Amino acid sequence: MEAGEILGDQIPGVDYTLYKLRVRNWDAQRGRQGGYRLIYYLKTSDQIILITVYSKSDQADIDARRIRDIIAAFEVSRQ
C-alpha cells in the first residue's frame, strides 16, 4: 500500500472506495475460510482508513449498512 498498490477486491454497493483484503491466518489450517478480512477505505490517494478486521470463521461478511455506519462515525469523530 505504501508503494501505491491497491490490494484486495473493491466492494460494490457502497458510496465509498472500499476494498476487502483476504489475509491468511497461519494458525488456522482451514485455507481461505479460516483467514482474516481487512476492509479499508481509500479516502484519497495518500489517505487510507482501516474500517475493520475480522476473522472469517467468527463473522460472516459485513453488510454495506454497517460499513456506512463505521465511516459515518469516523467522519463525525474527525470534526
XYZ file of all heavy atoms in Angstrom:
646
model
N 0.823 -1.196 0.000
C 0.000 0.000 0.000
C 0.865 1.257 0.000
O 0.513 2.226 -0.660
C -0.931 0.007 1.203
C -2.047 -0.976 1.118
S -3.119 -0.818 2.570
C -4.357 -1.969 2.132
N 1.959 1.203 0.746
C 2.847 2.368 0.766
C 3.407 2.675 -0.615
O 3.666 3.828 -0.937
C 4.001 2.143 1.749
C 3.658 2.466 3.164
C 4.884 2.358 4.059
O 5.615 1.361 3.952
O 5.088 3.284 4.846
N 3.567 1.655 -1.416
C 4.111 1.834 -2.759
C 3.043 2.286 -3.755
O 3.325 2.438 -4.924
C 4.749 0.533 -3.232
N 1.817 2.487 -3.280
C 0.750 2.939 -4.154
C -0.073 1.825 -4.767
O -0.936 2.074 -5.593
N 0.188 0.594 -4.367
C -0.584 -0.535 -4.878
C -1.909 -0.633 -4.143
O -1.981 -0.431 -2.936
C 0.184 -1.839 -4.686
C 1.437 -1.927 -5.517
C 2.139 -3.248 -5.306
O 1.462 -4.281 -5.277
O 3.362 -3.230 -5.156
N -2.944 -0.954 -4.890
C -4.254 -1.193 -4.285
C -4.402 -2.697 -4.151
O -4.355 -3.428 -5.130
C -5.382 -0.597 -5.148
C -5.221 0.916 -5.194
C -6.739 -1.002 -4.608
C -6.193 1.611 -6.115
N -4.575 -3.143 -2.919
C -4.660 -4.571 -2.642
C -6.108 -4.962 -2.360
O -6.864 -4.198 -1.773
C -3.794 -4.916 -1.434
C -2.325 -4.522 -1.546
C -1.615 -4.777 -0.222
C -1.657 -5.269 -2.666
N -6.483 -6.158 -2.752
C -7.808 -6.681 -2.466
C -8.800 -6.409 -3.578
O -8.459 -5.917 -4.651
N -10.048 -6.732 -3.272
C -11.148 -6.577 -4.219
C -12.010 -5.403 -3.805
O -12.348 -5.263 -2.618
C -12.008 -7.842 -4.243
C -11.208 -9.070 -4.650
O -10.384 -8.952 -5.566
O -11.410 -10.136 -4.038
N -12.401 -4.577 -4.779
C -13.280 -3.445 -4.450
C -14.651 -3.976 -4.054
O -15.161 -4.931 -4.641
C -13.397 -2.486 -5.628
C -14.117 -1.220 -5.234
C -13.944 -0.096 -6.241
O -13.322 -0.263 -7.275
N -14.495 1.041 -5.919
N -15.230 -3.346 -3.047
C -16.535 -3.747 -2.535
C -17.608 -2.928 -3.254
O -17.627 -1.699 -3.148
C -16.632 -3.522 -1.018
C -15.573 -4.355 -0.303
C -18.023 -3.861 -0.509
C -15.476 -4.096 1.178
N -18.507 -3.591 -3.969
C -19.577 -2.864 -4.660
C -20.730 -2.561 -3.701
O -20.818 -3.130 -2.618
C -20.027 -3.853 -5.737
C -19.752 -5.190 -5.135
C -18.519 -5.017 -4.275
N -21.593 -1.635 -4.090
C -22.813 -1.383 -3.335
C -22.692 -0.371 -2.224
O -23.618 -0.223 -1.428
N -21.566 0.313 -2.128
C -21.399 1.382 -1.138
C -20.920 2.631 -1.867
O -20.401 2.549 -2.974
C -20.417 0.996 -0.004
C -21.000 -0.079 0.879
C -19.094 0.547 -0.555
N -21.088 3.764 -1.250
C -20.739 5.035 -1.888
C -19.299 5.464 -1.642
O -18.976 6.625 -1.807
C -21.682 6.135 -1.390
C -23.127 5.836 -1.729
O -23.372 5.174 -2.756
O -24.013 6.268 -0.973
N -18.459 4.531 -1.250
C -17.066 4.833 -0.922
C -16.163 3.888 -1.705
O -16.600 2.837 -2.159
C -16.811 4.654 0.578
C -17.727 5.466 1.441
C -18.878 4.920 1.984
C -17.448 6.799 1.721
C -19.723 5.676 2.775
C -18.284 7.560 2.516
C -19.430 6.985 3.029
O -20.256 7.729 3.815
N -14.901 4.236 -1.818
C -13.930 3.374 -2.479
C -13.355 2.436 -1.430
O -12.382 2.755 -0.748
C -12.820 4.213 -3.140
O -13.429 5.190 -3.975
C -11.899 3.343 -3.967
N -13.998 1.285 -1.269
C -13.632 0.312 -0.246
C -13.055 -0.940 -0.885
O -13.460 -1.338 -1.976
C -14.862 -0.103 0.560
C -15.550 0.976 1.365
C -16.835 0.445 1.948
C -14.640 1.466 2.461
N -12.134 -1.544 -0.147
C -11.524 -2.787 -0.602
C -11.527 -3.805 0.519
O -11.375 -3.461 1.691
C -10.081 -2.543 -1.058
C -10.019 -1.717 -2.310
C -9.953 -0.337 -2.232
C -10.067 -2.313 -3.554
C -9.925 0.435 -3.379
C -10.039 -1.547 -4.711
C -9.969 -0.175 -4.613
O -9.949 0.580 -5.750
N -11.715 -5.071 0.137
C -11.641 -6.179 1.084
C -10.406 -6.991 0.730
O -10.236 -7.429 -0.405
C -12.881 -7.055 0.999
C -12.800 -8.298 1.873
C -14.090 -9.078 1.975
C -14.667 -9.487 0.677
N -15.859 -10.342 0.805
N -9.568 -7.163 1.716
C -8.324 -7.902 1.537
C -8.389 -9.171 2.376
O -8.726 -9.120 3.561
C -7.145 -7.023 1.982
C -5.759 -7.589 1.844
C -5.425 -7.869 0.383
C -4.752 -6.607 2.423
N -8.115 -10.286 1.753
C -8.078 -11.557 2.472
C -6.661 -11.775 2.981
O -5.704 -11.680 2.208
C -8.491 -12.686 1.546
C -9.941 -12.616 1.150
C -10.254 -13.590 0.016
N -11.645 -13.533 -0.343
C -12.166 -12.675 -1.225
N -11.387 -11.800 -1.831
N -13.453 -12.683 -1.495
N -6.554 -12.065 4.275
C -5.254 -12.254 4.909
C -5.245 -13.638 5.541
O -6.149 -13.974 6.318
C -4.982 -11.175 5.981
C -3.625 -11.381 6.617
C -5.105 -9.783 5.384
N -4.260 -14.397 5.222
C -4.185 -15.761 5.734
C -3.906 -15.769 7.234
O -3.108 -14.984 7.739
C -3.085 -16.523 5.016
C -3.024 -17.955 5.435
C -2.069 -18.735 4.607
N -2.076 -20.112 5.085
C -1.447 -21.089 4.508
N -0.760 -20.868 3.414
N -1.497 -22.303 5.005
N -4.562 -16.668 7.930
C -4.314 -16.917 9.344
C -3.417 -18.141 9.415
O -3.858 -19.254 9.190
C -5.635 -17.155 10.080
C -5.438 -17.472 11.546
O -4.318 -17.610 12.015
N -6.525 -17.593 12.263
N -2.153 -17.920 9.709
C -1.196 -19.017 9.702
C -1.447 -20.018 10.823
O -0.968 -21.150 10.767
C 0.224 -18.470 9.776
C 0.569 -17.725 8.535
C 0.544 -16.373 8.373
C 0.935 -18.257 7.269
N 0.880 -16.030 7.082
C 1.130 -17.175 6.387
C 1.112 -19.550 6.792
C 1.492 -17.358 5.059
C 1.494 -19.719 5.462
C 1.675 -18.633 4.617
N -2.204 -19.633 11.855
C -2.508 -20.549 12.949
C -3.631 -21.518 12.590
O -3.764 -22.562 13.200
C -2.911 -19.770 14.205
C -1.748 -18.970 14.763
O -0.587 -19.369 14.538
O -1.994 -17.938 15.405
N -4.468 -21.157 11.636
C -5.594 -21.996 11.231
C -5.243 -22.715 9.936
O -4.778 -22.098 8.998
C -6.848 -21.147 11.048
N -5.477 -23.966 9.899
C -5.172 -24.756 8.703
C -6.452 -24.984 7.888
O -6.746 -26.073 7.466
C -4.559 -26.099 9.126
C -3.288 -25.959 9.919
C -2.187 -25.263 9.128
O -2.029 -25.476 7.943
N -1.424 -24.418 9.793
N -7.216 -23.904 7.684
C -8.503 -24.054 7.017
C -8.565 -23.305 5.692
O -9.635 -23.064 5.161
C -9.608 -23.547 7.943
C -9.704 -24.390 9.194
C -10.666 -23.862 10.181
N -11.913 -23.466 9.557
C -12.874 -22.871 10.197
N -12.751 -22.604 11.471
N -13.981 -22.524 9.587
N -7.456 -22.893 5.163
C -7.462 -22.198 3.875
C -8.082 -20.822 3.975
O -7.994 -20.152 4.999
N -8.735 -20.390 2.902
C -9.282 -19.037 2.834
C -10.386 -18.800 3.859
O -10.556 -17.702 4.350
C -9.826 -18.773 1.438
C -8.737 -18.687 0.410
C -9.280 -18.589 -0.967
N -10.130 -17.425 -1.109
C -10.367 -16.822 -2.234
N -9.834 -17.278 -3.337
N -11.150 -15.782 -2.297
N -11.159 -19.837 4.184
C -12.265 -19.659 5.116
C -11.798 -19.395 6.544
O -12.539 -18.856 7.341
C -13.188 -20.883 5.099
C -13.905 -21.060 3.781
C -14.796 -19.874 3.439
O -15.438 -19.306 4.304
N -14.818 -19.504 2.182
N -10.586 -19.783 6.873
C -10.080 -19.589 8.223
C -9.252 -18.328 8.386
O -8.662 -18.100 9.428
N -9.218 -17.501 7.369
C -8.377 -16.312 7.404
C -9.091 -15.091 7.942
O -10.184 -15.161 8.482
N -8.446 -13.959 7.780
C -8.984 -12.681 8.228
C -9.457 -11.876 7.027
O -8.985 -12.072 5.906
C -7.908 -11.880 8.970
C -7.431 -12.551 10.221
C -6.187 -13.185 10.251
C -8.205 -12.549 11.366
C -5.735 -13.799 11.400
C -7.751 -13.170 12.516
C -6.524 -13.793 12.530
O -6.089 -14.403 13.663
N -10.346 -10.956 7.291
C -10.777 -9.995 6.284
C -10.425 -8.614 6.811
O -10.731 -8.279 7.961
C -12.276 -10.066 6.019
C -12.761 -11.399 5.503
C -12.069 -11.777 4.198
N -12.539 -13.051 3.689
C -11.945 -14.208 3.913
N -10.862 -14.269 4.652
N -12.418 -15.318 3.404
N -9.769 -7.852 5.981
C -9.389 -6.486 6.314
C -10.128 -5.593 5.318
O -10.009 -5.785 4.116
C -7.880 -6.339 6.155
C -7.265 -5.005 6.506
C -5.892 -5.230 7.087
C -7.198 -4.085 5.331
N -10.913 -4.674 5.826
C -11.647 -3.754 4.954
C -11.091 -2.366 5.178
O -10.994 -1.898 6.313
C -13.154 -3.800 5.227
C -13.679 -5.210 4.911
C -13.882 -2.749 4.400
C -15.138 -5.412 5.153
N -10.700 -1.731 4.074
C -10.152 -0.385 4.177
C -10.807 0.539 3.164
O -11.351 0.107 2.155
C -8.629 -0.391 4.052
C -8.069 -0.780 2.703
C -7.741 0.198 1.762
C -7.840 -2.100 2.375
C -7.204 -0.143 0.526
C -7.303 -2.453 1.151
C -6.992 -1.472 0.228
O -6.472 -1.819 -0.987
N -10.729 1.813 3.468
C -11.354 2.885 2.701
C -10.244 3.739 2.111
O -9.432 4.281 2.833
C -12.247 3.684 3.652
C -12.819 4.992 3.176
C -13.076 5.262 1.844
C -13.148 5.971 4.104
C -13.634 6.469 1.456
C -13.710 7.173 3.728
C -13.942 7.417 2.396
O -14.506 8.610 2.008
N -10.193 3.815 0.805
C -9.214 4.643 0.116
C -9.830 6.029 -0.035
O -10.520 6.318 -0.996
C -8.875 4.032 -1.246
C -7.757 4.668 -2.034
C -6.444 4.589 -1.267
C -7.629 3.995 -3.383
N -9.616 6.862 0.989
C -10.244 8.183 1.025
C -9.621 9.125 -0.006
O -10.322 9.818 -0.726
C -10.147 8.775 2.422
C -10.929 10.052 2.572
C -11.108 10.450 3.999
C -11.968 11.692 4.064
N -12.274 12.090 5.396
N -8.318 9.178 -0.057
C -7.586 9.951 -1.068
C -6.404 9.108 -1.507
O -6.160 8.034 -0.949
C -7.075 11.300 -0.498
O -6.098 11.032 0.508
C -8.200 12.140 0.080
N -5.651 9.605 -2.456
C -4.512 8.826 -2.946
C -3.453 8.600 -1.871
O -2.652 7.679 -1.971
C -3.887 9.499 -4.160
O -3.401 10.783 -3.804
N -3.445 9.433 -0.825
C -2.471 9.255 0.247
C -3.104 9.071 1.621
O -2.431 9.152 2.632
C -1.477 10.418 0.273
C -2.144 11.753 0.576
O -3.379 11.847 0.452
O -1.431 12.696 0.935
N -4.407 8.801 1.664
C -5.082 8.585 2.947
C -5.930 7.314 2.884
O -6.907 7.239 2.149
C -5.967 9.773 3.309
C -6.549 9.670 4.698
C -7.339 10.900 5.075
O -7.864 11.602 4.236
N -7.430 11.151 6.352
N -5.509 6.326 3.653
C -6.202 5.046 3.739
C -6.702 4.883 5.162
O -5.954 5.072 6.115
C -5.262 3.881 3.381
C -4.770 4.033 1.942
C -5.944 2.545 3.593
C -3.673 3.074 1.572
N -7.964 4.527 5.298
C -8.574 4.380 6.617
C -8.986 2.923 6.812
O -9.736 2.379 5.993
C -9.800 5.304 6.753
C -9.360 6.759 6.557
C -10.491 5.103 8.088
C -10.501 7.714 6.305
N -8.492 2.305 7.877
C -8.872 0.944 8.212
C -10.291 0.964 8.755
O -10.584 1.684 9.716
C -7.916 0.356 9.248
C -8.258 -1.044 9.739
C -8.175 -2.055 8.599
C -7.329 -1.429 10.875
N -11.174 0.193 8.142
C -12.566 0.131 8.575
C -12.744 -0.955 9.628
O -13.262 -0.722 10.701
C -13.508 -0.127 7.379
C -13.378 0.990 6.342
C -14.940 -0.287 7.838
C -13.733 2.362 6.838
N -12.303 -2.160 9.308
C -12.430 -3.260 10.254
C -11.539 -4.418 9.837
O -11.155 -4.535 8.681
C -13.898 -3.744 10.377
O -14.023 -4.658 11.449
C -14.396 -4.370 9.101
N -11.230 -5.258 10.806
C -10.541 -6.522 10.581
C -11.326 -7.560 11.357
O -11.670 -7.342 12.515
C -9.080 -6.491 11.097
C -8.423 -7.855 10.925
C -8.281 -5.413 10.419
N -11.632 -8.675 10.704
C -12.357 -9.723 11.419
C -11.937 -11.088 10.898
O -11.441 -11.216 9.790
C -13.869 -9.533 11.311
C -14.426 -9.554 9.900
C -14.898 -10.727 9.342
C -14.485 -8.401 9.132
C -15.411 -10.754 8.052
C -14.996 -8.408 7.854
C -15.462 -9.591 7.322
O -15.964 -9.611 6.047
N -12.148 -12.079 11.744
C -11.859 -13.454 11.371
C -13.058 -14.004 10.622
O -14.189 -13.926 11.099
C -11.596 -14.296 12.625
O -11.519 -15.659 12.281
N -12.826 -14.580 9.480
C -13.912 -15.123 8.667
C -14.601 -16.273 9.379
O -15.800 -16.480 9.213
C -13.351 -15.578 7.315
C -14.380 -16.055 6.361
C -15.314 -14.940 5.943
C -16.286 -15.478 4.903
N -17.343 -14.570 4.592
N -13.890 -16.990 10.220
C -14.512 -18.098 10.944
C -15.405 -17.604 12.086
O -16.263 -18.336 12.557
C -13.449 -19.056 11.481
O -12.608 -18.398 12.399
N -15.226 -16.349 12.533
C -16.023 -15.798 13.628
C -17.175 -14.925 13.164
O -18.110 -14.683 13.919
C -15.148 -14.949 14.557
C -14.132 -15.779 15.305
O -14.335 -17.007 15.436
O -13.124 -15.206 15.761
N -17.106 -14.411 11.948
C -18.108 -13.448 11.485
C -18.373 -13.642 10.001
O -17.439 -13.867 9.228
C -17.609 -12.019 11.733
C -18.544 -10.951 11.234
C -18.004 -9.564 11.532
O -17.308 -9.351 12.519
N -18.323 -8.621 10.682
N -19.635 -13.528 9.614
C -19.987 -13.560 8.195
C -19.570 -12.239 7.561
O -19.081 -11.338 8.240
C -21.496 -13.768 8.045
N -19.765 -12.128 6.269
C -19.434 -10.870 5.596
C -20.147 -9.701 6.254
O -21.284 -9.824 6.722
C -19.835 -10.934 4.119
C -18.913 -11.834 3.323
O -17.787 -12.088 3.779
O -19.327 -12.272 2.244
N -19.495 -8.579 6.294
C -20.056 -7.367 6.878
C -20.927 -6.690 5.813
O -20.537 -6.627 4.648
C -18.931 -6.452 7.406
C -19.476 -5.298 8.199
C -18.027 -5.999 6.297
C -18.414 -4.545 8.974
N -22.108 -6.228 6.193
C -23.004 -5.648 5.190
C -22.706 -4.166 4.943
O -22.025 -3.507 5.728
C -24.475 -5.869 5.539
C -24.938 -5.160 6.794
O -24.268 -4.220 7.249
O -26.002 -5.536 7.318
N -23.208 -3.668 3.825
C -22.923 -2.298 3.382
C -23.411 -1.270 4.402
O -22.753 -0.254 4.622
C -23.568 -2.045 2.025
N -24.541 -1.513 5.044
C -25.057 -0.559 6.036
C -24.103 -0.414 7.207
O -23.826 0.695 7.670
C -26.441 -0.999 6.521
C -27.095 0.058 7.431
C -28.445 -0.388 7.972
N -28.186 -1.224 9.129
C -28.726 -2.425 9.336
N -29.529 -2.956 8.477
N -28.437 -3.101 10.420
N -23.550 -1.511 7.677
C -22.599 -1.471 8.799
C -21.343 -0.707 8.400
O -20.820 0.088 9.174
C -22.260 -2.894 9.243
C -21.247 -2.952 10.355
C -21.806 -2.450 11.671
N -20.767 -2.490 12.661
C -20.415 -1.480 13.444
N -21.076 -0.341 13.397
N -19.440 -1.600 14.298
N -20.887 -0.910 7.188
C -19.707 -0.179 6.710
C -19.992 1.315 6.662
O -19.177 2.131 7.097
C -19.262 -0.710 5.332
C -18.706 -2.128 5.479
C -18.220 0.205 4.698
C -18.431 -2.833 4.165
N -21.151 1.695 6.126
C -21.515 3.118 6.074
C -21.582 3.714 7.475
O -21.158 4.849 7.697
C -22.838 3.310 5.328
C -22.697 3.175 3.824
C -23.951 3.618 3.095
N -25.107 2.789 3.387
C -25.451 1.702 2.704
N -24.726 1.310 1.681
N -26.525 1.020 3.040
N -22.108 2.952 8.438
C -22.181 3.429 9.830
C -20.779 3.656 10.412
O -20.551 4.640 11.110
C -22.939 2.428 10.708
C -24.423 2.368 10.399
O -24.935 3.260 9.689
O -25.074 1.403 10.857
N -19.859 2.751 10.137
C -18.484 2.891 10.636
C -17.839 4.140 10.049
O -17.214 4.929 10.762
C -17.652 1.635 10.312
C -18.162 0.439 11.121
C -16.172 1.884 10.584
C -17.576 -0.892 10.680
N -18.005 4.350 8.747
C -17.415 5.531 8.102
C -18.055 6.809 8.626
O -17.352 7.785 8.900
C -17.523 5.430 6.569
C -16.647 4.279 6.066
C -17.112 6.748 5.906
C -16.818 3.948 4.607
N -19.364 6.813 8.787
C -20.056 7.998 9.306
C -19.563 8.340 10.709
O -19.304 9.500 11.032
C -21.569 7.790 9.308
N -19.392 7.342 11.567
C -18.888 7.565 12.920
C -17.470 8.119 12.882
O -17.112 9.009 13.658
C -18.942 6.270 13.727
N -16.668 7.620 11.970
C -15.306 8.116 11.817
C -15.316 9.581 11.386
O -14.585 10.400 11.937
C -14.527 7.275 10.795
C -13.186 7.841 10.469
C -12.125 7.666 11.339
C -12.973 8.568 9.315
C -10.874 8.195 11.063
C -11.733 9.100 9.012
C -10.690 8.919 9.890
N -16.130 9.909 10.399
C -16.198 11.289 9.897
C -16.655 12.247 10.997
O -16.113 13.340 11.113
C -17.128 11.369 8.685
C -16.638 10.601 7.470
C -15.373 11.155 6.844
O -14.979 12.299 7.141
O -14.761 10.429 6.054
N -17.618 11.844 11.810
C -18.110 12.690 12.905
C -17.006 12.887 13.942
O -16.808 13.996 14.451
C -19.364 12.066 13.557
C -19.702 12.742 14.874
C -20.541 12.140 12.589
N -16.254 11.840 14.234
C -15.201 11.953 15.251
C -14.062 12.859 14.790
O -13.319 13.374 15.609
C -14.662 10.571 15.603
O -13.874 10.045 14.555
N -13.920 13.049 13.499
C -12.844 13.883 12.958
C -13.204 15.371 12.936
O -12.359 16.205 12.647
C -12.496 13.441 11.526
C -12.111 11.997 11.391
C -10.698 11.727 11.391
N -9.999 12.670 10.514
C -8.716 12.776 10.469
N -7.984 12.006 11.217
N -8.120 13.635 9.685
N -14.446 15.678 13.203
C -14.879 17.089 13.154
C -14.590 17.821 14.437
O -14.455 17.373 15.475
C -16.376 17.175 12.865
C -16.694 16.648 11.494
C -18.189 16.680 11.199
O -19.016 17.030 12.026
N -18.539 16.274 9.995
